[in-house]
Amino acid sequence: MKPRASKLDRHRDDLLAWLLPQPDGEGLTLAAAAQRLFEKHGVASGNGSTRPVSLSSLSIWLERTQQARLQERILTRVATGAETCRELDKKFAKHPAPATDQLVKLLKVLVMQLAVKSESDPALLELVSPLMRSIMDYLKIEEKREDRKLDERRVALLEAKAAQADTAKGVMESQLTPEEKQVKLRNIFGLA
Amino acid sequence: MTARQQITAFVLRALARSGSEPVTQDYMRGLITGAFRHLQLTTADVDGHIAAIEAEGFISGTQDSVLGRLWLLTATGVIKAQQLG
């Protein structure tokens, strides 16, 4: 299914440098480029011909080459978008809450849309980096929030244990009988 | 190569590079419209091409409650995409 190769393909870099408008190229006309190709590389309209390639074949070649370049650029952006999505997956793996899962799904769709549509509007691609930064900032805040919750829980548990120990100490130092002390201690530590 | 063959080849290559994530209908439309601007395809044209690629067995669609129609390469599509490079 590959398109047929053209004799002009081996002079692709030269032709694009001559034909593309400035600042990417010299912006030559088709006629000027065909002439230069003939003079520099001897590429003629046919075997044994002394004339440059026809303007129509050069025009067709240029159009096909431009289309192929456009498609390659889009494919590169698609691959970049996919890589960004994989990074999102890795970052969000630490936050597997259902709401985050939905958010990740939507974000990845947005990233891929931006990757594809930025060909026609390059400014869209510039939105990706700030978007990623916002997401990462959000994740850092969420991580800190989770860590703080864990710390608070740890402190609460330690305080509860300390309170139990104090109460148990009070029981041991009291005037109760050994049997009464045992009952109270079992209650304190939930062993009743 | 016909326009349809070119579009099919391009879509398969793009989906292969998109990774294993399913893609939305809008994404597929953007791919085809962006890469084949010179054909000046309407939405109906593009949807027709997507349906044709599905009919060839290269992609399969599912419905998502939030994202709408989602597309993924089939095993046949993956093999074809690898052949296309």
Side-chain angles (χ1 to χ4, degrees):
Chain A
M1 275 172 95
K2 287 197 171 159
R4 235 175 325 157
S6 160
K7 65 184 174 189
L8 298 176
D9 289 338
R10 75 176 87 96
H11 306 289
R12 181 178 182 266
D13 291 345
D14 272 348
L15 283 168
L16 289 176
W18 299 336
L19 288 163
L20 288 178
Q22 293 175 351
D24 299 320
E26 292 181 45
L28 296 186
T29 62
L30 288 172
Q35 184 63 34
R36 194 184 282 191
L37 187 67
F38 179 68
E39 287 165 4
K40 191 176 175 188
H41 297 294
V43 180
S45 60
N47 285 332
S49 169
T50 56
R51 287 183 303 176
V53 293
S54 70
L55 300 189
S56 61
S57 36
L58 186 54
S59 173
I60 289 167
W61 176 89
L62 181 62
E63 197 180 310
R64 279 202 193 125
T65 304
Q66 293 281 63
Q67 284 161 18
R69 289 174 83 227
L70 169 65
Q71 288 172 19
E72 283 306 317
R73 282 201 301 274
I74 292 175
L75 289 175
T76 301
R77 286 204 165 100
V78 163
T80 304
E83 182 56 38
T84 304
C85 287
R86 281 190 284 274
E87 282 173 31
L88 275 172
D89 276 336
K90 278 185 204 164
K91 294 283 182 189
F92 277 95
K94 295 180 191 172
H95 303 274
T100 314
D101 195 42
Q102 200 70 290
L103 175 63
V104 174
K105 213 196 289 188
L106 289 169
L107 281 167
K108 287 198 287 189
V109 164
L110 187 58
V111 164
M112 293 307 282
Q113 296 279 50
L114 285 175
V116 165
K117 289 186 178 169
S118 61
E119 179 60 39
S120 54
D121 187 353
L124 283 177
L125 202 58
E126 291 167 21
L127 293 175
V128 176
S129 293
L131 177 65
M132 283 291 299
R133 272 200 300 276
S134 300
I135 294 164
M136 296 306 142
D137 287 345
Y138 164 77
L139 286 172
K140 279 180 196 157
I141 292 167
E142 281 302 295
E143 267 186 72
K144 281 187 182 147
R145 197 172 284 154
E146 293 291 316
D147 288 343
R148 203 166 48 243
K149 273 189 198 163
L150 276 171
D151 287 342
E152 283 168 5
R153 185 158 162 67
R154 226 174 264 129
V155 165
L157 280 170
L158 286 171
E159 282 174 350
K161 282 197 181 310
Q164 272 181 336
D166 284 343
T167 311
K169 189 181 172 198
V171 166
M172 293 306 292
E173 290 170 355
S174 70
Q175 301 302 312
L176 296 171
T177 66
E179 292 79 17
E180 284 169 337
K181 282 181 186 176
Q182 195 178 35
V183 167
K184 281 210 177 283
L185 287 172
R186 288 176 78 86
N187 281 334
I188 289 166
F189 292 107
L191 300 171
Chain B
M1 206 172 357
T2 64
R4 175 146 291 174
Q5 287 171 329
Q6 287 178 43
I7 289 170
T8 299
F10 177 75
V11 166
L12 295 186
R13 291 174 72 204
L15 290 184
R17 292 190 198 198
S18 296
S20 55
E21 290 287 332
V23 298
T24 61
Q25 179 83 1
D26 201 31
Y27 176 84
M28 292 277 270
R29 285 177 181 152
L31 269 181
I32 296 171
T33 312
F36 296 92
R37 273 180 236 161
H38 61 287
L39 296 178
Q40 296 180 316
L41 301 167
T42 63
T43 305
D45 293 333
V46 172
D47 288 350
H49 284 295
I50 295 170
I53 299 171
E54 184 186 19
E56 287 186 86
F58 294 136
I59 58 175
S60 73
T62 54
Q63 202 62 28
D64 182 273
S65 57
V66 173
L67 299 171
R69 197 109 174 103
L70 294 177
W71 297 99
L72 203 54
L73 279 177
T74 60
T76 310
V78 169
I79 293 168
K80 191 67 181 175
Q82 283 167 352
Q83 289 170 351
L84 291 166

